């Protein structure tokens, strides 16, 4: 089944950085497997949940891509 919690291992891009679609953004761990998530679009990264050993519920919004300022 689907993971109930994930751990944010590392943000690969800093908060406020401009990114393009396909840029690797974050590594998270789910069921002992590490997954790299890419940006779905161009914009500015807004990190909401920082990397730590704390589990967060799957489906939690951990960051947004917003219009560049």
């Amino acid at each position: 089944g689907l993971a109930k919690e994930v751990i944010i291992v590392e943000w690969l891009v800093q908060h406020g950085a401009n990114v393009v679609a396909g840029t690797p953004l974050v590594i998270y761990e789910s069921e002992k497997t590490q997954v790299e998530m890419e940006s779905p679009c161009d914009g500015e990264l807004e990190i909401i949940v920082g990397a730590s050993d704390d589990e967060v519920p799957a489906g939690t919004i951990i960051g947004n891509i917003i219009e560049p300022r």
Side-chain angles (χ1 to χ4, degrees):
L2 295 174
K4 293 187 168 112
E5 282 99 23
V6 298
I7 295 172
I8 300 164
V9 176
E10 177 184 7
W11 282 97
L12 304 173
V13 178
Q14 290 185 346
H15 177 84
N18 288 323
V19 296
V20 295
T23 301
L25 296 178
V26 65
I27 297 172
Y28 67 89
E29 188 172 288
S30 169
E31 302 290 324
K32 301 300 177 196
T33 300
Q34 288 195 354
V35 179
E36 185 176 274
M37 182 184 293
E38 297 179 348
S39 178
C41 58
D42 297 356
E44 182 181 315
L45 176 63
E46 177 183 65
I47 294 174
I48 297 170
V49 179
S52 73
D53 290 333
D54 296 333
E55 293 182 337
V56 293
T60 299
I61 296 173
I62 60 171
N64 290 312
I65 304 297
I66 59 174
E67 289 288 325
R69 293 179 206 176

